[in-house]
Coordinates of all heavy atoms in Angstrom, one line a residue:
R1324 N -0.9 24.7 -42.9 CA -2.0 24.5 -41.9 C -1.4 24.3 -40.5 O -0.6 23.3 -40.2 CB -2.9 23.5 -42.3 CG -4.1 23.2 -41.3 CD -4.9 21.9 -41.5 NE -5.5 22.0 -42.8 CZ -6.8 22.3 -42.9 NH1 -7.5 22.8 -41.8 NH2 -7.4 22.4 -44.1
A1325 N -1.8 25.1 -39.5 CA -1.2 24.9 -38.2 C -2.2 25.6 -37.2 O -3.1 26.3 -37.5 CB 0.2 25.7 -38.1
R1326 N -2.0 25.2 -35.9 CA -2.7 25.7 -34.7 C -1.9 26.8 -34.2 O -0.6 26.7 -34.0 CB -3.1 24.7 -33.7 CG -3.6 25.2 -32.5 CD -4.0 24.0 -31.4 NE -5.1 23.3 -32.0 CZ -5.6 22.3 -31.6 NH1 -5.2 21.8 -30.4 NH2 -6.6 21.6 -32.1
V1327 N -2.5 28.0 -34.0 CA -1.8 29.1 -33.4 C -2.4 29.4 -32.0 O -3.5 29.5 -31.8 CB -1.9 30.5 -34.2 CG1 -1.2 31.5 -33.6 CG2 -1.4 30.2 -35.7
R1328 N -1.4 29.1 -31.0 CA -1.9 29.3 -29.6 C -1.7 30.7 -29.1 O -0.6 31.4 -29.3 CB -0.9 28.4 -28.7 CG -1.3 26.9 -28.9 CD -0.2 26.0 -28.4 NE 0.2 26.5 -27.1 CZ 1.3 26.0 -26.5 NH1 2.1 25.2 -27.1 NH2 1.6 26.5 -25.2
L1329 N -2.9 31.3 -28.7 CA -2.9 32.7 -28.3 C -3.0 32.7 -26.8 O -3.5 31.6 -26.2 CB -3.9 33.5 -28.9 CG -4.0 33.3 -30.5 CD1 -5.2 33.8 -31.1 CD2 -2.8 34.1 -31.1
K1330 N -3.0 33.8 -26.1 CA -3.2 33.7 -24.7 C -4.6 33.4 -24.3 O -4.9 32.9 -23.2 CB -2.7 35.3 -24.1 CG -2.5 35.2 -22.7 CD -1.7 36.5 -22.2 CE -1.4 36.4 -20.8 NZ -0.7 37.6 -20.3
G1331 N -5.5 33.8 -25.2 CA -7.0 33.7 -25.0 C -7.5 32.3 -25.5 O -8.7 32.0 -25.3
G1332 N -6.7 31.6 -26.2 CA -7.1 30.2 -26.8 C -6.5 30.0 -28.1 O -5.6 30.7 -28.6
D1333 N -7.1 29.1 -28.7 CA -6.3 28.6 -30.1 C -7.2 29.0 -31.3 O -8.5 28.9 -31.2 CB -6.1 27.1 -30.0 CG -5.2 26.6 -29.0 OD1 -4.6 27.5 -28.4 OD2 -5.3 25.4 -28.6
L1334 N -6.5 29.2 -32.5 CA -7.1 29.4 -33.8 C -6.5 28.4 -34.7 O -5.2 28.1 -34.6 CB -6.9 30.8 -34.2 CG -7.7 31.9 -33.6 CD1 -7.2 33.2 -34.1 CD2 -9.1 31.8 -33.8
E1335 N -7.3 27.9 -35.6 CA -6.7 27.0 -36.7 C -6.6 27.9 -37.9 O -7.5 28.5 -38.4 CB -7.7 25.9 -37.0 CG -7.9 25.0 -35.9 CD -6.7 24.1 -35.5 OE1 -5.9 23.9 -36.4 OE2 -6.5 23.7 -34.3
I1336 N -5.4 27.9 -38.4 CA -5.0 28.9 -39.6 C -4.6 28.0 -40.7 O -3.7 27.1 -40.6 CB -4.0 29.8 -39.2 CG1 -4.4 30.5 -37.9 CG2 -3.9 30.9 -40.4 CD1 -5.6 31.5 -38.0
Q1337 N -5.0 28.2 -41.9 CA -4.6 27.6 -43.1 C -4.3 28.6 -44.2 O -5.2 29.5 -44.5 CB -5.7 26.5 -43.7 CG -5.2 25.9 -44.9 CD -6.3 25.0 -45.6 OE1 -7.4 25.1 -45.2 NE2 -6.0 24.2 -46.6
W1338 N -3.1 28.5 -44.8 CA -2.8 29.3 -46.0 C -2.9 28.4 -47.2 O -1.9 27.6 -47.5 CB -1.3 29.9 -45.9 CG -0.9 30.8 -46.9 CD1 -1.8 31.4 -47.9 CD2 0.4 31.3 -47.2 NE1 -1.1 32.1 -48.7 CE2 0.3 32.2 -48.4 CE3 1.6 31.1 -46.6 CZ2 1.4 32.8 -48.9 CZ3 2.7 31.7 -47.2 CH2 2.5 32.7 -48.2
S1339 N -3.9 28.4 -47.9 CA -4.2 27.4 -49.0 C -3.2 27.6 -50.2 O -3.1 28.7 -50.7 CB -5.6 27.5 -49.5 OG -5.9 26.7 -50.6
E1340 N -2.6 26.5 -50.7 CA -1.8 26.5 -51.9 C -2.7 26.7 -53.1 O -2.3 27.1 -54.1 CB -1.0 25.3 -51.9 CG 0.2 25.2 -51.1 CD 1.1 24.1 -51.3 OE1 0.9 22.9 -50.8 OE2 2.2 24.3 -52.0
R1341 N -4.0 26.1 -52.9 CA -4.9 26.1 -54.1 C -5.3 27.6 -54.6 O -5.3 27.8 -55.8 CB -6.1 25.4 -53.7 CG -7.3 25.4 -54.8 CD -8.4 24.5 -54.3 NE -9.0 24.9 -53.1 CZ -9.8 26.0 -53.0 NH1 -10.3 26.6 -54.1 NH2 -10.4 26.3 -51.9
D1342 N -5.6 28.4 -53.5 CA -6.1 29.7 -54.0 C -5.3 30.9 -53.3 O -5.7 32.0 -53.5 CB -7.6 29.9 -53.8 CG -7.9 29.6 -52.2 OD1 -7.0 29.6 -51.4 OD2 -9.2 29.4 -51.9
D1343 N -4.3 30.5 -52.6 CA -3.4 31.5 -51.9 C -4.2 32.4 -50.9 O -3.7 33.3 -50.4 CB -2.8 32.5 -53.0 CG -1.7 33.3 -52.4 OD1 -0.7 32.8 -51.6 OD2 -1.7 34.6 -52.7

Side-chain angles (χ1 to χ4, degrees):
R1324 180 191 289 269
R1326 175 172 294 179
V1327 180
R1328 290 165 44 193
L1329 312 165
K1330 202 168 184 180
D1333 298 346
L1334 288 171
E1335 297 293 331
I1336 309 296
Q1337 179 188 8
W1338 184 15
S1339 172
E1340 286 188 279
R1341 177 179 56 84
D1342 57 13
D1343 193 41

